[in-house]
Amino acid sequence: MTVNERIAMLRQYMAEKNIDVYVISSADFHQSEYVGAYFRARAYMTGFNGSAGTAVITKDAAGLWTDGRYFIQAEKELSGSEVKLFKMEQPGVPTVEEYLDSVLPKNGTLGFDGRSISVQQGNNYAKLFAYKNVKIAYEYDLVDLVWTDRPALSEHPVFFLEEKYTGESTSSKLSRVREIMKQVGATAHVLITLDDIAWMLNIRGRDVRFTPVVLSYAIVMMNCVHLFINEKKLSDEIKSILAKDNVILHPYNDIYDFVKQFDSNEVVLYDPARLNYALCSNIPTNVKVVENQNPCILMKAIKNDVEIANIKNAHIKDGVAHSKFLYWLKNTVDKEVITEIDASDKLEELRAEQEGFLWPSFGSISAAGPHAAMPHYGATPESNSVIEPGNFYLSDTGGNYWEGSTDITRTYAVGEVSDELKRDYTLVLKGNLALSASRFLYGCTGQNLDVLARQFLWQEGKDYNHGTGHGVGYLLSIHENAARFNWKKLEESMRPLEAGMVISNEPGLYIEDSHGIRIENEVLVCKGEKTNFGQFMYLEPITYAPIDLDAIDPTLLRDDEKLLLNEYHQKVYDLVSPHLTEEEKIFLQKYTRAI
Amino acid sequence: MTVNERIAMLRQYMAEKNIDVYVISSADFHQSEYVGAYFRARAYMTGFNGSAGTAVITKDAAGLWTDGRYFIQAEKELSGSEVKLFKMEQPGVPTVEEYLDSVLPKNGTLGFDGRSISVQQGNNYAKLFAYKNVKIAYEYDLVDLVWTDRPALSEHPVFFLEEKYTGESTSSKLSRVREIMKQVGATAHVLITLDDIAWMLNIRGRDVRFTPVVLSYAIVMMNCVHLFINEKKLSDEIKSILAKDNVILHPYNDIYDFVKQFDSNEVVLYDPARLNYALCSNIPTNVKVVENQNPCILMKAIKNDVEIANIKNAHIKDGVAHSKFLYWLKNTVDKEVITEIDASDKLEELRAEQEGFLWPSFGSISAAGPHAAMPHYGATPESNSVIEPGNFYLSDTGGNYWEGSTDITRTYAVGEVSDELKRDYTLVLKGNLALSASRFLYGCTGQNLDVLARQFLWQEGKDYNHGTGHGVGYLLSIHENAARFNWKKLEESMRPLEAGMVISNEPGLYIEDSHGIRIENEVLVCKGEKTNFGQFMYLEPITYAPIDLDAIDPTLLRDDEKLLLNEYHQKVYDLVSPHLTEEEKIFLQKYTRAI
């Protein structure tokens, strides 16, 4: 079927249900950052494959809204179909809401699959068009009727994470969640976010590419947990483990009917930013609700001692892979042709050799020369470049280990690079060192500290257009945003940094068509001394991989900065060298030498 | 009359009006930071003279709430009366609200002078006690009936600030205010904050100690301004100036009846954080209101070119006074006894010699040795200490000039001071230099940059328990808080820094019973270069007074910091030395030498 044929069929179903306008989002039912193949309904209906976009289908028009990252791709992929591209935030281009307002008739009906729309978004639609008495039909997944060869929902088996990895039993986590439920007067807590459910129940899966989560919904009651999941995914062993904590199993989609049956005595806690519109709408109006952030978000962000020890081990493994990689790169690049994909394959291979490695924690960014100026570049067979001397090679990769998820970026000088490139590299490095070395009063946020990482670039009128850091999950989401380093006002950048949080420290610099730099270490937030002036906190870098000394201009580093770099490199050598060959050790010694 | 007799009489009036509990605040009718003698009702009724406190009088009890700064003073001043001290934020001590709840009977009446209570506070009371049907009586100033020898309201004459000082005519300011009124759909704008009114109408007065404001209320209409003011304060000349902008005069207190007559077609803009409860309550409920920040707040914070040039001149004068003061201090302190009051008198005398000086912009802080460890210490005849060698002397003072208000703190080494003291001083200086030298993207706030001033102290587990900086008015409030440097979440610290704002940069360090340090320069927010990465901004220090080199440990300064200090001192010398005697010049040259 062509896209136009799909749309024509969708319009028939819209007519059957008396729906005037139908919206198709890019989301799954769980507000996930990455979604499985089953959930790519918007891509199926429009032909546009980018990760972000919203489609609107009316009786006689079809539109696709996406942002600047995707204009070129969308134009290409939409050509030949009736779908019109709406370039978001361009002058004169209406927003989705403005467009809906212009096409929705009085007393009309707006339809969407309410499972793929957030509560805020759904409420916003309902409120915006109330003035012309527009009805909301959120119950129909019309794309499902058109998409006859839709991929099945993932049935990947669930595995259990033992206490030697998690440091805390499911029952302990549940009792902490229930403690908070009591504090806010709730008797039931509805959870749809996959990483929160996985963390709380100490289960993992592979239903989403990279992120080891399990497609499921959960409702925590005071004496049991209702888990909505395809039972095929659960071995008898897992079932018996879950049963110990009184986890009651239900079919995946049954939660929508289940919440309709809530007794009017229940008080339901949910996070309005992390619930879908259908689920929220199905809770009977006579049931009292408490809207609050999911208690699991802060709990899972604060790693316990067992997790911290494990995470450090995972980072040593990452450091070993990176040291071997650097050895290979520096010794091979002038002898053989190495492409971006060759290099990321090599690094993945070296990581895969590490004990306890499962799979990558996100899609590798492997970018040579000017490609590195695109912060989110992903090499494809078409774009795949050779790593050439005289520029940088940027590698942003991560691993999922039993002992946690990692995220590390290194930028390497290939051959000799110019003084200008070294200067840029050193400015980025100075920011990374300054943030890592910061000490601060308890209560400080990522918004307070971000300037430390940017100050040297800002002095020269330069900047990087992304946050300085994001939280990292434990064998979970690589972007676990309970806290961030970002000077802008965001919920997460305004949260006090708590001991046990693991956050990335990744300043960069991107010069279009020329070069790109990013240096990323993860840092652990630690409790420092308590003085007369208050409780002090500090950051400990827990990524252990050499920062390429060939790329640095040492004359731009102050003595205290050299000391920080040298201390860091000494630690890298001490932790990593025992796992290397003699030859690699000598190499690493050189690349972690004091400067 | 004793305090107890005053309270007894108040209770008679309470009984007459059927008021069960009466609250007396410390505020004037304008939410001012400093209040005139007329408004010290709480002090009159309780005997407690501190600047912050709330009194609650019931039929058989009287309480006074104040904060930690005043516990000792309040205990002393309340002794002998029936007023019981409630130490705020101490364990087991109820808040005012909790106490009110415990003493207010069902269907009872809570009374207060609604002119001295903010909208938020009044609404909060009404909401908190609605459950027991408590009525609010806000119309009665019962203290006025008791206080027969109450000081009169100030009748100080108003003076006009010409355009050579303000850089903008009243009519231009009014049209900018009206532009914003149009944007929010308002037809009337009610203003009670004295600095906003003074700025908007280019008038000044002396109704509050230090702050050159005029007791008045204003309502801006689209074609006129209603000004509520004691007409005796206005000369014929001022009246005719005001008449040109169609300013219509009314008696001071008439605004309360005036707003009752608002036509139901009016749309009234007011700032709920800057309005009193009585005025708000008197606006008829059928009049539409728009709650927004006063437009004048941001407008007056952004100084225009004329104001900036004037302010810099005022700071040169301040710099001359400070250079002469330093010359005197360093040459006299080992020969004569100098007390804290002697020193602040001397500095005021030197400032008063400057052309265009009017009066001090706030009460001097003149603190020797351990006294300087109290950030808000004010020397009294009882506390007045001799400035002794071996410690610091801290001076935090300011002037109101025709050309603007200044606020400057210098900390001087008296004789030789220990290495420990020099170390502390140098850490504070490093923070001051780092903040002043910062460059940042437009959009940054004081919350983002504050860490630059604290970083060196925080590295050593030290801190100062106050913000790093506040806005400064133009011949107006010395704390003009449209923007602040403060790492904590405050409305003002979260506002983007705009070119033309003048903010203090005043890190400090206070070691109890030992010493105190604060180094305060005002800085001007400036627009820097626009690069591919965005619009950059920077700060320009506009205070021109030597920072005592005798107090610095140069070994703790990096080369780039020395350069910043040397450049600053060179500028001080260049601007100030033309106004000094030859001997003073030689002295200043030494005290501004490159290190």
Side-chain angles (χ1 to χ4, degrees):
Chain A
M1 261 196 297
T2 65
V3 164
N4 285 1
E5 287 165 350
R6 294 169 192 176
I7 292 173
M9 195 183 286
L10 188 86
R11 287 193 179 117
Q12 289 177 20
Y13 291 113
M14 285 165 63
E16 271 178 30
K17 302 287 183 194
N18 279 318
I19 288 170
D20 297 285
V21 182
Y22 195 74
V23 174
I24 308 160
S25 81
S26 303
D28 70 0
F29 306 158
H30 306 277
Q31 311 276 311
S32 302
E33 183 178 4
Y34 303 106
V35 307
Y38 177 88
F39 297 103
R40 298 174 56 77
R42 187 263 305 144
Y44 176 78
M45 286 305 301
T46 61
F48 167 60
N49 285 303
S51 71
T54 301
V56 177
I57 315 291
T58 74
K59 284 172 180 148
D60 45 22
L64 182 278
W65 277 253
T66 191
D67 64 62
R69 290 175 296 171
Y70 290 115
F71 291 165
I72 294 166
Q73 180 182 344
E75 254 164 23
K76 216 162 102 183
E77 294 180 345
L78 297 181
S79 77
S81 81
E82 66 163 292
V83 184
K84 194 185 152 195
L85 174 60
F86 289 82
K87 295 179 177 180
M88 285 166 77
E89 297 190 17
Q90 295 301 294
V93 177
T95 63
V96 172
E97 289 75 12
E98 286 164 352
Y99 182 81
L100 289 175
D101 199 14
S102 72
V103 294
L104 277 165
K106 209 176 159 193
N107 301 314
T109 298
L110 172 66
F112 48 76
D113 182 350
R115 298 174 299 178
S116 306
I117 296 279
S118 71
V119 174
Q120 278 116 325
Q121 210 176 342
N123 284 342
N124 189 34
Y125 290 156
K127 199 175 129 193
L128 278 176
F129 313 125
Y131 81 96
K132 48 181 168 185
N133 196 32
V134 164
K135 287 175 288 298
I136 302 287
Y138 67 84
E139 306 89 342
Y140 309 114
D141 181 2
L142 298 187
V143 177
D144 198 55
L145 305 174
V146 177
W147 195 0
T148 45
D149 55 345
R150 186 174 199 165
L153 282 166
S154 160
E155 293 191 358
H156 204 278
V158 171
F159 56 99
F160 186 73
L161 219 52
E162 292 173 55
E163 225 169 301
K164 68 176 176 181
Y165 296 122
T166 65
E168 185 177 10
S169 67
T170 304
S171 79
S172 166
K173 291 178 177 180
L174 285 172
S175 67
R176 286 205 285 150
V177 170
R178 288 176 177 134
E179 196 46 53
I180 290 186
M181 290 167 61
K182 273 182 214 155
Q183 283 167 21
V184 300
T187 60
H189 171 36
V190 177
L191 263 173
I192 70 163
T193 36
L194 303 181
D195 57 347
D196 290 322
I197 297 170
W199 175 84
M200 185 176 72
L201 299 179
N202 288 334
I203 56 175
R204 297 294 188 273
R206 209 176 173 179
D207 292 338
V208 171
R209 200 173 171 212
F210 304 123
T211 315
V213 289
V214 181
L215 273 182
S216 56
Y217 305 90
I219 303 176
V220 183
M221 310 296 288
M222 279 304 167
N223 55 2
C224 68
V225 177
H226 298 287
L227 183 64
F228 300 82
I229 187 169
N230 180 344
E231 218 176 302
K232 284 190 204 155
K233 301 155 84 93
L234 302 172
S235 67
D236 289 345
E237 197 197 339
I238 299 272
K239 281 183 190 169
S240 78
I241 290 171
L242 291 172
K244 280 182 202 147
D245 288 304
N246 212 4
V247 176
I248 301 165
L249 303 177
H250 305 262
Y252 176 58
N253 255 312
D254 278 15
I255 189 167
Y256 294 92
D257 284 330
F258 188 95
V259 299
K260 287 183 185 164
Q261 313 302 323
F262 269 140
D263 187 284
S264 65
N265 293 324
E266 299 289 1
V267 180
V268 179
L269 167 66
Y270 65 74
D271 185 335
R274 292 169 185 88
L275 197 66
N276 69 48
Y277 185 76
L279 205 45
C280 186
S281 303
N282 283 2
I283 297 172
T285 49
N286 65 345
V287 170
K288 206 181 148 198
V289 301
V290 179
E291 298 197 337
N292 252 331
Q293 196 178 58
N294 280 349
C296 290
I297 289 176
L298 190 57
M299 289 182 192
K300 75 179 187 306
I302 298 175
K303 274 64 179 174
N304 61 43
D305 291 347
V306 172
E307 287 174 313
I308 290 169
N310 286 334
I311 291 169
K312 287 183 178 177
N313 268 332
H315 278 285
I316 292 172
K317 294 171 183 178
D318 247 27
V320 172
H322 273 78
S323 299
K324 286 174 181 281
F325 176 78
L326 185 61
Y327 173 82
W328 170 80
L329 182 73
K330 292 276 180 184
N331 287 313
T332 312
V333 76
D334 53 352
K335 299 189 192 82
E336 292 172 27
V337 168
I338 305 177
T339 67
E340 293 164 336
I341 293 178
D342 293 337
S344 57
D345 284 352
K346 178 72 183 181
L347 182 58
E348 194 170 324
E349 182 193 311
L350 290 165
R351 210 179 235 130
E353 286 169 8
Q354 302 299 313
E355 191 221 326
F357 174 79
L358 294 169
W359 57 79
S361 56
F362 60 94
S364 294
I365 296 173
S366 174
H371 282 166
M374 294 176 269
H376 298 107
Y377 172 77
T380 63
E382 295 76 41
S383 72
N384 193 18
S385 285
V386 173
I387 299 174
E388 305 272 16
N391 205 323
F392 291 131
Y393 166 66
L394 185 154
S395 158
D396 184 353
T397 66
N400 279 322
Y401 297 87
W402 286 99
E403 291 154 313
S405 306
T406 63
D407 183 359
I408 166 171
T409 309
R410 286 294 180 267
T411 305
Y412 303 111
V414 184
E416 259 304 307
V417 295
S418 69
D419 289 350
E420 186 206 336
L421 264 64
K422 284 187 183 177
R423 181 176 181 82
D424 283 348
Y425 188 96
T426 310
L427 292 176
V428 173
L429 174 61
K430 286 162 80 86
N432 179 290
L433 293 171
L435 177 57
S436 276
S438 66
R439 294 184 177 251
F440 48 91
L441 271 176
Y442 175 76
C444 264
T445 66
Q447 208 190 6
N448 293 136
L449 302 184
D450 187 85
V451 64
L452 296 174
R454 289 181 206 265
Q455 58 184 323
F456 305 100
L457 292 167
W458 280 1
Q459 283 290 341
E460 310 216 344
K462 294 173 176 169
D463 185 47
Y464 45 95
N465 191 15
H466 58 70
T468 300
H470 56 83
V472 178
Y474 183 98
L475 188 49
L476 270 181
S477 301
I478 203 65
H479 296 143
E480 186 181 273
N481 279 327
R484 300 195 204 200
F485 296 119
N486 196 321
W487 64 277
K488 293 181 180 167
K489 254 194 247 178
L490 302 166
E491 185 192 332
E492 306 87 3
S493 64
M494 291 167 74
R495 187 197 301 276
L497 299 169
E498 304 284 349
M501 285 179 167
V502 173
I503 312 175
S504 68
N505 168 6
E506 46 178 316
L509 183 61
Y510 310 95
I511 308 294
E512 209 180 332
D513 299 327
S514 173
H515 60 283
I517 300 156
R518 188 161 62 251
I519 302 172
E520 176 184 23
N521 278 350
E522 288 177 30
V523 293
L524 173 71
V525 181
C526 303
K527 205 168 170 173
E529 54 174 352
K530 189 169 183 170
T531 73
N532 288 339
F533 299 92
Q535 176 65 55
F536 282 84
M537 312 290 286
Y538 65 97
L539 303 175
E540 179 191 339
I542 56 170
T543 297
Y544 311 114
I547 291 170
D548 191 358
L549 294 174
D550 296 342
I552 296 173
D553 178 351
T555 66
L556 298 176
L557 290 179
R558 305 185 312 238
D559 288 347
D560 58 314
E561 292 168 334
K562 285 184 189 166
L563 194 66
L564 288 170
L565 181 64
N566 293 342
E567 281 172 357
Y568 174 72
H569 269 152
Q570 184 61 50
K571 190 160 189 184
V572 170
Y573 183 81
D574 292 346
L575 290 172
V576 168
S577 61
H579 308 282
L580 299 181
T581 65
E582 278 313 306
E583 219 172 324
E584 289 164 345
K585 258 187 214 177
I586 292 163
F587 175 86
L588 185 62
Q589 202 153 31
K590 180 182 158 203
Y591 273 92
T592 55
R593 72 187 181 275
I595 60 164
Chain B
M1 262 195 299
T2 65
V3 163
N4 285 1
E5 286 165 350
R6 294 168 191 177
I7 292 172
M9 194 184 288
L10 187 86
R11 287 192 180 119
Q12 288 176 22
Y13 291 112
M14 286 166 61
E16 271 177 30
K17 303 286 183 194
N18 281 317
I19 289 170
D20 297 286
V21 182
Y22 196 74
V23 175
I24 309 161
S25 81
S26 304
D28 70 1
F29 305 157
H30 306 276
Q31 310 276 310
S32 303
E33 184 178 3
Y34 303 107
V35 307
Y38 176 88
F39 297 103
R40 298 174 56 77
R42 187 262 304 143
Y44 175 80
M45 287 304 301
T46 62
F48 167 62
N49 285 302
S51 71
T54 301
V56 176
I57 314 291
T58 73
K59 284 170 178 147
D60 45 23
L64 182 279
W65 277 254
T66 192
D67 64 63
R69 291 173 296 171
Y70 290 115
F71 290 164
I72 294 165
Q73 179 183 343
E75 254 164 24
K76 216 162 102 183
E77 294 180 345
L78 297 181
S79 77
S81 81
E82 66 164 290
V83 184
K84 193 185 154 195
L85 174 61
F86 289 83
K87 297 180 176 180
M88 284 166 76
E89 297 192 16
Q90 295 300 295
V93 177
T95 63
V96 172
E97 288 76 12
E98 286 164 353
Y99 181 82
L100 289 175
D101 199 15
S102 72
V103 294
L104 276 165
K106 210 176 160 196
N107 301 314
T109 298
L110 173 65
F112 48 77
D113 182 350
R115 298 173 299 178
S116 308
I117 296 279
S118 71
V119 174
Q120 277 115 327
Q121 208 177 344
N123 284 342
N124 190 34
Y125 290 156
K127 197 175 131 193
L128 277 175
F129 313 125
Y131 80 94
K132 48 182 168 182
N133 197 33
V134 164
K135 286 175 289 298
I136 303 286
Y138 67 84
E139 305 90 343
Y140 309 116
D141 180 3
L142 299 186
V143 176
D144 197 55
L145 305 173
V146 177
W147 196 359
T148 47
D149 56 347
R150 187 174 197 167
L153 281 166
S154 161
E155 293 190 358
H156 204 278
V158 171
F159 56 100
F160 185 72
L161 220 51
E162 292 173 55
E163 225 169 301
K164 68 176 177 182
Y165 296 123
T166 65
E168 185 177 11
S169 66
T170 303
S171 78
S172 167
K173 290 179 177 178
L174 285 172
S175 68
R176 287 206 285 152
V177 170
R178 286 175 179 136
E179 196 45 53
I180 291 186
M181 288 167 62
K182 273 182 215 155
Q183 283 168 21
V184 300
T187 61
H189 171 37
V190 177
L191 265 173
I192 70 163
T193 36
L194 303 181
D195 57 348
D196 289 321
I197 297 170
W199 175 84
M200 186 176 69
L201 299 179
N202 288 334
I203 56 175
R204 297 294 188 273
R206 208 176 174 179
D207 292 339
V208 170
R209 200 175 171 212
F210 304 123
T211 314
V213 288
V214 181
L215 273 181
S216 57
Y217 304 89
I219 303 177
V220 182
M221 310 297 287
M222 279 303 164
N223 55 1
C224 68
V225 178
H226 298 288
L227 182 64
F228 301 82
I229 187 168
N230 181 344
E231 220 176 300
K232 285 189 204 157
K233 301 154 83 91
L234 302 172
S235 66
D236 289 344
E237 195 198 340
I238 299 272
K239 280 182 191 170
S240 78
I241 291 172
L242 290 172
K244 281 182 203 148
D245 288 305
N246 213 4
V247 176
I248 301 164
L249 304 177
H250 305 262
Y252 176 59
N253 254 311
D254 278 15
I255 189 168
Y256 294 93
D257 283 332
F258 188 96
V259 299
K260 286 182 186 165
Q261 313 302 323
F262 269 141
D263 187 282
S264 64
N265 293 324
E266 300 288 4
V267 180
V268 179
L269 167 66
Y270 65 74
D271 186 336
R274 293 169 185 86
L275 196 68
N276 69 49
Y277 185 76
L279 206 44
C280 186
S281 303
N282 283 2
I283 297 173
T285 48
N286 65 344
V287 170
K288 207 183 149 197
V289 300
V290 179
E291 298 198 337
N292 253 331
Q293 196 177 56
N294 280 349
C296 291
I297 289 176
L298 190 57
M299 290 182 192
K300 74 178 189 304
I302 298 174
K303 274 63 180 175
N304 61 43
D305 290 347
V306 172
E307 287 175 315
I308 290 169
N310 286 333
I311 291 169
K312 287 183 178 177
N313 269 332
H315 278 285
I316 293 172
K317 294 171 183 180
D318 248 29
V320 173
H322 273 80
S323 299
K324 287 174 180 281
F325 176 78
L326 185 61
Y327 174 83
W328 169 80
L329 182 73
K330 293 277 180 183
N331 287 312
T332 313
V333 75
D334 53 353
K335 299 189 190 80
E336 292 172 28
V337 169
I338 305 177
T339 67
E340 294 165 336
I341 292 177
D342 294 337
S344 56
D345 285 352
K346 178 71 184 179
L347 182 58
E348 194 170 325
E349 182 192 313
L350 290 164
R351 208 179 238 133
E353 287 169 8
Q354 303 299 312
E355 190 221 327
F357 174 80
L358 294 170
W359 57 79
S361 57
F362 60 94
S364 294
I365 295 172
S366 174
H371 281 167
M374 293 176 270
H376 298 105
Y377 172 76
T380 63
E382 296 76 41
S383 73
N384 192 18
S385 284
V386 172
I387 299 174
E388 304 271 18
N391 205 324
F392 291 130
Y393 166 66
L394 185 153
S395 159
D396 184 354
T397 67
N400 280 322
Y401 298 87
W402 286 100
E403 291 155 312
S405 306
T406 63
D407 183 359
I408 166 171
T409 309
R410 286 295 181 266
T411 304
Y412 302 112
V414 183
E416 258 305 306
V417 297
S418 69
D419 290 349
E420 186 204 338
L421 263 64
K422 284 187 182 176
R423 181 177 180 81
D424 283 349
Y425 189 96
T426 310
L427 292 175
V428 173
L429 173 62
K430 285 162 80 87
N432 179 289
L433 293 171
L435 178 57
S436 276
S438 66
R439 290 180 181 254
F440 48 90
L441 270 177
Y442 175 76
C444 263
T445 66
Q447 206 189 7
N448 293 136
L449 302 185
D450 187 86
V451 63
L452 296 174
R454 289 181 206 264
Q455 57 184 323
F456 306 99
L457 292 167
W458 280 1
Q459 283 289 342
E460 308 215 346
K462 293 172 176 169
D463 184 48
Y464 46 96
N465 191 15
H466 58 70
T468 300
H470 56 82
V472 178
Y474 183 98
L475 188 49
L476 270 182
S477 301
I478 203 65
H479 296 143
E480 185 180 274
N481 280 326
R484 301 195 203 201
F485 296 119
N486 196 320
W487 63 276
K488 293 180 181 170
K489 254 194 248 180
L490 303 165
E491 186 192 332
E492 304 89 0
S493 63
M494 291 166 74
R495 186 197 301 275
L497 299 169
E498 304 284 350
M501 286 180 166
V502 173
I503 312 175
S504 68
N505 168 6
E506 47 179 314
L509 182 62
Y510 310 95
I511 308 295
E512 208 179 334
D513 298 326
S514 174
H515 59 283
I517 299 156
R518 186 162 62 252
I519 302 172
E520 176 185 23
N521 278 350
E522 288 176 32
V523 293
L524 174 69
V525 181
C526 303
K527 206 168 168 171
E529 55 174 350
K530 189 169 181 171
T531 73
N532 288 339
F533 299 93
Q535 176 63 57
F536 281 84
M537 312 289 287
Y538 65 96
L539 304 175
E540 178 191 341
I542 55 169
T543 297
Y544 311 114
I547 291 170
D548 191 357
L549 294 174
D550 296 341
I552 295 173
D553 179 351
T555 66
L556 298 176
L557 290 179
R558 304 184 315 237
D559 288 347
D560 58 312
E561 293 169 332
K562 284 184 190 168
L563 193 65
L564 288 169
L565 181 65
N566 293 342
E567 281 173 355
Y568 174 72
H569 269 152
Q570 184 62 48
K571 190 162 191 183
V572 170
Y573 183 79
D574 292 346
L575 291 172
V576 168
S577 62
H579 309 281
L580 300 180
T581 65
E582 280 312 307
E583 218 172 324
E584 288 164 347
K585 260 187 212 176
I586 294 164
F587 175 85
L588 184 62
Q589 202 154 33
K590 181 182 159 202
Y591 273 92
T592 56
R593 72 188 181 276
I595 60 164

